[in-house]
Amino acid sequence: MLKSKRSRGRILTVSGLKKLNETLQEWSDRLNIRGTLTEIEAESGVGIDTVSKIKQGREGADLSKIRQLFAAFDLTLTNDDHRSAKLDAAEDVGESDNLAAAGETASSVKVFISYRSAEPDRELGKQLETALSAIGHTVFTADNNIRLGDNWFDRINFFLKECDYLVLLLPPTVSQSEILTYQVQQAKELQDSRPDKKPIILPIRVGFPLNAPLNHDLRGYLYRIKQREWKTTADTPIIIEEVLNLLAETPAPLPEEAEDLTQNQVLEISSDEIPQPVAEPELPGGQVDVASQFYVERQPIEERCYQTIVQPSALIRIKAPRQMGKTSLMARILHHGSLQGYCTVPLTFQLVDKAVFADLDQFLKWFCAYVGRELHLANQLDDYWDEIFGSKVNCKDYFEKYILPQIDSPLILGLDEIDRVFQYPDIAEDFLGLLRAWHEESKRRDIWKKLRLIVVHSTEVYIPMNINQSPFNVGLPVDLPEFNHLQIQDLAARHNLNWSDAEVEQLTAIIGGHPYLVRVALYHISQSDLTLDELQETATSDAGIYSDHLRRQLWNLEEYPELAEGMREIAAADIPVQLKSMQAFKLDSLGLVKLQGNECVPRNELYRQYFRSHLSAIG
């Protein structure tokens, strides 16, 4: 068990920290200053290092210095405001008991506090760590529990698997952080696989208003989970107290309904709307809003999709690697359908609990119930589900005799990230065959002409299927390409960049026409964060604008050694490399390679250089 070491001296209790921080905030607001450590030192005469110790509560400080600091701001230091830094000393038993009112627990839990190294996130994270450790909880942080030479990804995964609670500090840039999104995804997958549904996620927005939008994935992962907002240092003791109280509570029994799996103490339905597959146009990450000026059309793809979806028996298959714009295109097709008065239901399989995939009957019941709920129809599964006929017949009947007759217009189902179903071959073969059967029914019977399908996936379909039962050889196939030269130049102009052909070529020499990477580059260059030349020099560095994205991809690879070995081989070679089909499919779905027949090459020079360097030790 990891325990934080505490030196001798005195540290502030929760009430003492709250008193000091509120006063410092009032002081800095009154004088219209930032309230930095230097400014506090000048006002109080207490050295910067000591002020930092007192404010963080991580190391003991001399009691006389704490009194001096309090006196400088007209505060009276009481016995309840401080305690010994060495809690296991016998003399401090009574003092540590004082923390019970602020949320001390009878038994310790393990807490992973995830925060970025920038302020104010780091300061808040440190103070949370101090308060939780002080009453016996085991706390993991990247700062304290990852040593030089450790594998960062392995350690983060260890923290997530070990912890009971994930305290997630969300900065304003969280929607652009693939690492934070991935941590939440991993935590949700662990919840799905465990009967106790741990780790419980406690999201705290740091300088990031509650009404500010998250990206699509985070909106889905954090749906129904109560979030808190930290605005100033005056909120720190309030946040700490709430976390302490929450950890002291006994988790409520889990409801049986799959849609209510979140623990009661962190359950808050902020909206009746399930997250839609769109994101905010200002952020160079996630899917692009249907009204965004930054969406790049790759005609004639969009127009063909719009024409197809209004036809009876429509089935559109969108295939492309991650971050190529699949979900953005699906959102626009659904939006086009809604303008025609159609009913639309987007369904992202990536957000479906693993428990739903336990067997075909449960999966199809969930599928029917989900679509019905999105159409605001009462759940009538008991009236249409008869075990004599089997799951597929029951599902077909539910749509044919209940859902479709209840609506007066065509229904478009947008099935995003259907790759997730591929991981469950027994379910996938039957479900995909059912979709194909519905498509064929729509050619013969009027009731099924109401149903239109959009199927979105990242990888090749590797489920063995009868050619007459697969939905992947019918309908309109859409394989999204990278941006071309003119599209990048046009997008640069929308970012108020008057780029020449040479500048476009300089960018594509690094990242090709990868839509996400292009948007990230144009966003930061347009914000004067860096120049094109600086991008070229720092693209693969840990301080570059792609560092978070590259670490996320490295994390993906390190979780699957066979993929890491395949990517290492491809990045090291100067000629195309032939891999096993499954390796190639999965690397392509991650967007890391391009397939040239049976051979692979890195998708761009950025990936070649980064993975050649970071995977060189494998082999």
Side-chain angles (χ1 to χ4, degrees):
M1 178 178 289
L2 299 170
K3 281 196 173 184
S4 57
K5 296 181 180 179
R6 305 182 187 90
S7 62
R8 296 185 183 276
R10 310 298 294 180
I11 63 176
L12 295 180
T13 61
V14 172
S15 59
L17 278 171
K18 180 178 181 181
K19 181 189 293 187
L20 178 62
N21 283 330
E22 287 179 345
T23 300
L24 289 175
Q25 186 65 47
E26 291 171 2
W27 169 71
S28 60
D29 290 345
R30 185 174 68 253
L31 298 182
N32 195 27
I33 59 177
R34 293 175 56 197
T36 62
L37 295 177
T38 302
E39 291 166 338
I40 295 172
E41 178 190 39
E43 181 73 15
S44 66
V46 180
I48 289 177
D49 290 343
T50 304
V51 172
S52 179
K53 285 181 183 180
I54 295 171
K55 288 193 69 194
Q56 291 187 21
R58 295 178 53 75
E59 298 180 46
D62 189 89
L63 184 57
S64 64
K65 293 297 183 183
I66 297 177
R67 285 200 180 101
Q68 181 180 339
L69 181 61
F70 268 56
F73 294 95
D74 298 323
L75 289 172
T76 300
L77 184 68
T78 69
N79 288 335
D80 291 336
D81 293 333
H82 61 94
R83 59 175 175 77
S84 171
K86 191 171 177 59
L87 278 178
D88 53 357
E91 62 179 321
D92 297 313
V93 173
E95 291 175 348
S96 62
D97 287 344
N98 291 334
L99 287 174
E104 183 175 4
T105 58
S107 59
S108 91
V109 297
K110 296 177 182 179
V111 184
F112 175 29
I113 306 176
S114 176
Y115 57 87
R116 61 175 184 165
S117 58
E119 300 296 353
D121 309 55
R122 187 173 185 273
E123 174 71 13
L124 176 58
K126 295 296 184 185
Q127 294 200 33
L128 278 165
E129 179 187 3
T130 297
L132 296 177
S133 297
I135 57 175
H137 294 311
T138 299
V139 180
F140 305 119
T141 68
D143 271 5
N144 287 350
N145 302 118
I146 300 182
R147 298 170 298 183
L148 184 65
D150 281 351
N151 184 304
W152 190 86
F153 302 103
D154 287 347
R155 295 298 290 163
I156 293 295
N157 277 328
F158 170 79
F159 301 155
L160 290 171
K161 290 173 183 176
E162 284 290 306
C163 71
D164 301 295
Y165 291 86
L166 169 60
V167 178
L168 197 67
L169 304 191
L170 304 174
T173 56
V174 65
S175 289
Q176 299 167 257
S177 174
E178 295 186 58
I179 292 295
L180 271 174
T181 301
Y182 191 57
Q183 285 183 23
V184 180
Q185 177 188 342
Q186 293 293 93
K188 292 292 287 184
E189 289 184 359
L190 286 168
Q191 286 181 356
D192 293 343
S193 65
R194 294 172 171 175
D196 60 5
K197 300 302 172 187
K198 290 183 178 179
I200 297 170
I201 302 173
L202 309 178
I204 300 169
R205 295 185 176 220
V206 183
F208 180 33
L210 289 171
N211 60 359
L214 294 165
N215 66 36
H216 169 61
D217 285 345
L218 281 174
R219 284 204 303 273
Y221 295 136
L222 300 180
Y223 178 62
R224 293 175 173 256
I225 296 180
K226 184 177 181 179
Q227 300 174 35
R228 281 286 178 257
E229 181 183 355
W230 181 97
K231 298 177 182 177
T232 69
T233 54
D235 295 326
T236 299
I238 300 170
I239 292 290
I240 290 174
E241 185 172 1
E242 183 166 0
V243 171
L244 290 173
N245 288 332
L246 182 59
L247 268 57
E249 295 176 7
T250 301
L254 294 178
E256 294 183 359
E257 293 297 325
E259 62 202 53
D260 294 322
L261 288 178
T262 312
Q263 257 62 356
N264 286 350
Q265 70 265 32
V266 289
L267 174 61
E268 179 177 89
I269 303 177
S270 56
S271 169
D272 290 333
E273 299 289 334
I274 203 76
Q276 296 297 302
V278 293
E280 293 62 47
E282 296 78 14
L283 298 174
Q287 290 73 49
V288 186
D289 190 276
V290 293
S292 172
Q293 62 176 315
F294 299 110
Y295 180 85
V296 176
E297 290 194 345
R298 281 167 273 192
Q299 291 292 2
I301 289 174
E302 282 81 3
E303 192 56 40
R304 284 178 181 169
C305 290
Y306 299 155
Q307 292 172 359
T308 300
I309 204 63
V310 297
Q311 302 300 320
S313 307
L315 191 158
I316 300 173
R317 297 180 283 113
I318 304 173
K319 175 185 170 295
R322 284 187 69 249
Q323 300 178 314
M324 289 287 289
K326 302 183 300 299
T327 307
S328 298
L329 175 59
M330 185 186 87
R332 295 176 78 86
I333 299 170
L334 291 172
H335 178 67
H336 180 78
S338 68
L339 294 178
Q340 317 306 312
Y342 294 0
C343 297
T344 60
V345 174
L347 192 164
T348 304
F349 286 101
Q350 190 61 41
L351 304 181
V352 179
D353 293 349
K354 283 185 179 179
V356 172
F357 293 101
D359 61 66
L360 181 66
D361 194 66
Q362 181 170 339
F363 175 77
L364 292 181
K365 281 183 176 180
W366 177 91
F367 180 70
C368 290
Y370 182 91
V371 174
R373 186 181 71 170
E374 292 305 288
L375 294 172
H376 305 290
L377 298 177
N379 186 329
Q380 300 288 340
L381 285 173
D382 290 342
D383 295 337
Y384 292 88
W385 221 264
D386 190 329
E387 62 181 17
I388 294 176
F389 296 107
S391 305
K392 289 190 290 184
V393 171
N394 289 332
C395 182
K396 176 177 177 290
D397 279 355
Y398 197 75
F399 270 80
E400 180 179 308
K401 298 176 181 178
Y402 178 55
I403 289 181
L404 294 176
Q406 292 289 322
I407 57 178
D408 298 326
S409 62
L411 166 64
I412 306 175
L413 290 184
L415 307 180
D416 196 10
E417 304 217 43
I418 204 168
D419 315 62
R420 178 82 187 280
V421 184
F422 298 170
Q423 300 172 31
Y424 305 89
D426 292 341
I427 289 176
E429 184 174 0
D430 285 322
F431 179 61
L432 297 175
L434 187 63
L435 296 181
R436 171 63 182 265
W438 290 356
H439 174 68
E440 297 300 333
E441 284 284 306
S442 69
K443 298 176 183 177
R444 298 189 292 268
R445 302 178 58 201
D446 288 344
I447 188 67
W448 285 99
K449 292 184 186 299
K450 283 186 176 182
L451 182 65
R452 320 287 161 86
L453 296 172
I454 307 171
V455 178
V456 181
H457 58 113
S458 297
T459 189
E460 297 291 343
V461 185
Y462 48 80
I463 304 298
M465 293 193 70
N466 183 310
I467 192 170
N468 296 316
Q469 296 177 338
S470 171
F472 296 102
N473 58 358
V474 291
L476 174 69
V478 176
D479 201 338
L480 284 179
E482 293 191 342
F483 291 161
N484 60 33
H485 185 103
L486 291 177
Q487 288 165 340
I488 295 174
Q489 202 160 35
D490 173 54
L491 188 55
R494 300 186 206 183
H495 284 82
N496 295 315
L497 298 171
N498 185 22
W499 272 16
S500 65
D501 289 345
E503 287 168 308
V504 174
E505 290 169 4
Q506 186 178 351
L507 180 67
T508 55
I510 308 168
I511 57 174
H514 191 294
Y516 170 74
L517 300 181
V518 168
R519 286 199 64 213
V520 170
L522 295 179
Y523 174 83
H524 285 286
I525 293 172
S526 69
Q527 298 298 307
S528 301
D529 295 333
L530 78 173
T531 65
L532 187 53
D533 288 338
E534 290 169 340
L535 169 62
Q536 194 167 24
E537 293 173 6
T538 64
T540 61
S541 75
D542 289 337
I545 61 173
Y546 296 126
S547 59
D548 194 78
H549 169 78
L550 292 170
R551 284 197 299 269
R552 160 76 185 269
Q553 293 285 25
L554 183 61
W555 196 347
N556 284 334
L557 293 176
E558 292 194 344
E559 283 195 286
Y560 302 97
E562 189 178 58
L563 294 185
E565 167 58 29
M567 192 64 202
R568 182 203 65 80
E569 188 178 349
I570 293 167
D574 294 323
I575 58 174
V577 173
Q578 184 167 349
L579 299 179
K580 297 176 183 177
S581 295
M582 193 64 68
Q583 276 180 297
F585 287 163
K586 290 183 177 179
L587 288 172
D588 177 47
S589 74
L590 291 173
L592 296 178
V593 303
K594 290 181 179 179
L595 300 180
Q596 299 180 350
N598 294 325
E599 297 178 322
C600 304
V601 296
R603 181 163 286 277
N604 50 53
E605 190 61 24
L606 174 73
Y607 292 159
R608 181 191 297 278
Q609 293 180 16
Y610 182 80
F611 292 112
R612 178 176 287 180
S613 168
H614 286 74
L615 296 175
S616 59
I618 297 177

